[in-house]
Amino acid sequence: MVTGDGAYIKKINRSLILQKIIEHRFISRAELSKITGLNKATISVQVSDLLEEKLVRETQQEHNSVGRRPIMLSINGNAGYVLGIDLDYKKVRYRIADLQGNMIETEIYKLETENYEEIVQILIKQIKTFKNRYSQCDYGLIQTIIGVHGTVNNDYSILFVPRFEWRNKNLKADLEDALDISILIENTANLSVYAERVYHHHHSNNLLSITLSSGIGAGIMNNGKLVKGYDGYAGEIGHMIISPYGKKCKCGNHGCWELYAAEPVIFSSLMEKLDLPSLTYHDLKQLINENDTITCEEMKKFISSVSIGLNNMINFYNPETLVLNSEVLHLYPNVVEEIKKNLHSSVSVYKKIELSELGVYASVQGACALAIQNFLDVQEVIFKRDDQ
């Protein structure tokens, strides 16, 4: 039982009520009282406040039975909006969501610079555009969360972004100096695993999401909580050494996993062996469909390298669910079964391996969900689909 002063208990009750409204999408006051264990008077007072603040709205449910139609409560989605940003190498993805977690719009901006100051100005301009676009609603653009493909400190400053070769940058402060809006910076893999939990794997408390893109990163959920480590650097598994005398990595070590299993590896290898000036995902898919001998051989090598790192990660964390987020792996038929065949260790125990349904937008969806959680001040958000 929670004890404390009245204001604190009221805050706890408010958070619980909001969390259950989010989870159930539409719920009556009576059902809220039943689920939360709070009495009807407490529910009535809290809901009255939330309605006045325009965070919750009422809807009369349609039904065919005799009697009064129940009044259902739901989050007022258009009371405010959140912005998720994926600051990737050569492109920036922007996604707007409402307070119900619905994705409203997505934009992709091509980056033609790696210069930190220039990219800061680009972000300022784009965020201002979105802020103005949603300024007419009750709470406007509430928060922006930016995912970066690198190490982020617990104070949201950047330690290192390998592809940009940025070190010790305070992107949060640089943006907030120019924008009257809350900004948070987070590692993209952390945002991705958060999105998997919020939108798909609600019941997986021990969840491991591995993103293979320009590099490799892991988002780790343990007992339903995000694992960030002492400084915030947990999950930098792309720099796990799998070949101690292997290729030289930008991080300073030799034989890092992402030198063998990040997506650029398969593209550069095939371009060299097939003597191609360029290669797209569409081209790779076509080569796989045609059973091109060289492509299939290279894909098997790539999958083998992926599996080596996965075997290590499974042994480290013993996950319930392992989610792989990779455009390349999605192109190869029965790839999960191929990976499982390579996991030979008798101590590599997990419940299931799946490919992510969120794809390249996992990070921005996770950013949006986390911003909603921050704004509504709830312990977690769960956005269920109609088929769940």
Side-chain angles (χ1 to χ4, degrees):
M1 185 174 71
V2 177
T3 60
D5 62 53
Y8 175 72
I9 293 173
K10 184 176 181 180
K11 180 181 179 182
I12 295 296
N13 291 340
R14 173 191 172 97
S15 174
L16 179 59
I17 289 168
L18 279 170
Q19 186 171 316
K20 293 305 176 183
I21 295 174
I22 294 167
E23 182 178 342
H24 290 267
R25 298 175 64 183
F26 293 92
I27 189 169
S28 67
R29 288 170 173 80
E31 190 66 18
L32 266 177
S33 179
K34 180 180 176 181
I35 290 173
T36 63
L38 299 173
N39 63 50
K40 292 181 180 179
T42 298
I43 295 291
S44 179
V45 170
Q46 290 276 2
V47 168
S48 178
D49 288 345
L50 292 171
L51 287 168
E52 186 176 347
E53 295 170 38
K54 299 184 180 179
L55 292 176
V56 167
R57 60 188 174 193
E58 294 178 315
T59 306
Q60 200 160 40
Q61 188 179 47
E62 296 292 337
H63 72 147
N64 298 321
S65 60
V66 177
R68 184 178 177 182
R69 292 180 295 174
I71 302 296
M72 308 300 285
L73 302 169
S74 64
I75 297 297
N76 182 9
N78 58 15
Y81 295 86
V82 293
L83 173 60
I85 301 177
D86 182 352
L87 179 54
D88 203 351
Y89 186 66
K90 295 189 176 179
K91 69 176 64 174
V92 187
R93 295 182 183 89
Y94 300 88
R95 179 161 280 188
I96 290 283
D98 66 18
L99 293 184
Q100 290 184 330
N102 300 311
M103 300 302 135
I104 304 302
E105 65 171 311
T106 302
E107 290 186 12
I108 300 176
Y109 185 96
K110 185 177 179 182
L111 277 181
E112 297 180 349
T113 178
E114 298 174 20
N115 180 271
Y116 175 77
E117 284 74 20
E118 291 178 9
I119 291 177
V120 167
Q121 292 306 310
I122 290 169
L123 290 171
I124 289 171
K125 180 180 178 181
Q126 294 294 322
I127 293 170
K128 279 184 176 178
T129 298
F130 285 111
K131 184 181 176 184
N132 291 335
R133 194 176 299 171
Y134 293 92
S135 62
Q136 300 307 309
C137 63
D138 293 305
Y139 292 92
L141 190 64
I142 295 158
Q143 187 175 60
T144 296
I145 296 184
I146 302 174
V148 297
H149 297 247
T151 46
V152 179
N153 297 303
N154 283 325
D155 65 358
Y156 305 110
S157 61
I158 294 171
L159 177 70
F160 181 46
V161 180
R163 294 302 297 270
F164 289 115
E165 297 192 23
W166 292 350
R167 296 180 186 274
N168 301 313
K169 300 294 185 182
N170 198 338
L171 181 60
K172 170 181 166 64
D174 291 339
L175 292 175
E176 287 185 336
D177 284 347
L179 298 163
D180 183 23
I181 187 172
S182 170
I183 304 283
L184 292 182
I185 313 298
E186 185 55 88
N187 173 270
T188 52
N190 288 341
L191 294 175
S192 294
V193 75
Y194 186 78
E196 297 292 347
R197 164 83 172 179
V198 167
Y199 288 95
H200 292 291
H201 301 283
H202 315 311
H203 304 296
S204 291
N205 286 326
N206 293 285
L207 178 63
L208 180 60
S209 172
I210 296 181
T211 302
L212 298 98
S213 55
S214 56
I216 303 177
I220 306 160
M221 300 284 284
N222 183 44
N223 293 325
K225 302 296 183 182
L226 187 65
V227 176
K228 299 183 69 173
Y230 179 71
D231 291 304
Y233 309 154
E236 286 298 322
I237 58 168
H239 300 284
M240 169 174 57
I241 296 171
I242 65 169
S243 179
Y245 304 105
K247 304 172 186 176
K248 178 72 180 292
C249 181
K250 285 184 177 180
C251 77
N253 283 324
H254 288 262
C256 292
W257 187 26
E258 68 178 39
L259 298 179
Y260 304 89
E263 290 192 346
V265 174
I266 187 69
F267 284 95
S268 60
S269 179
L270 283 173
M271 286 164 59
E272 179 182 347
K273 296 196 173 185
L274 297 174
D275 194 24
L276 296 172
S278 63
L279 186 69
T280 65
Y281 287 100
H282 177 76
D283 298 331
L284 179 56
K285 176 63 173 175
Q286 188 170 343
L287 288 166
I288 292 171
N289 290 343
E290 292 171 355
N291 289 315
D292 176 75
T293 303
I294 294 175
T295 301
C296 290
E297 287 176 356
E298 289 300 304
M299 280 299 301
K300 286 186 179 295
K301 284 172 57 179
F302 178 73
I303 290 169
S304 176
S305 295
V306 169
S307 303
I308 291 171
L310 294 183
N311 187 80
N312 293 340
M313 294 304 298
I314 291 168
N315 287 339
F316 288 158
Y317 296 105
N318 178 216
E320 176 186 1
T321 304
L322 174 57
V323 181
L324 305 178
N325 195 326
S326 165
E327 288 185 86
V328 167
L329 293 182
H330 264 290
L331 301 178
Y332 197 81
N334 301 316
V335 70
V336 171
E337 294 307 313
E338 287 292 321
I339 288 170
K340 287 179 179 178
K341 289 176 185 177
N342 287 315
L343 301 177
H344 304 299
S345 173
S346 60
V347 296
S348 293
V349 180
Y350 57 90
K351 187 174 180 180
K352 59 183 176 180
I353 298 178
E354 295 184 3
L355 292 181
S356 173
E357 296 179 30
L358 299 176
V360 296
Y361 294 105
S363 175
V364 285
Q365 287 202 212
C368 289
L370 183 57
I372 293 168
Q373 178 182 342
N374 292 340
F375 174 67
L376 295 179
D377 195 18
V378 295
Q379 286 192 349
E380 69 172 351
V381 292
I382 296 295
F383 296 126
K384 294 181 179 178
R385 300 169 298 175
D386 293 335
D387 59 344
Q388 292 180 319

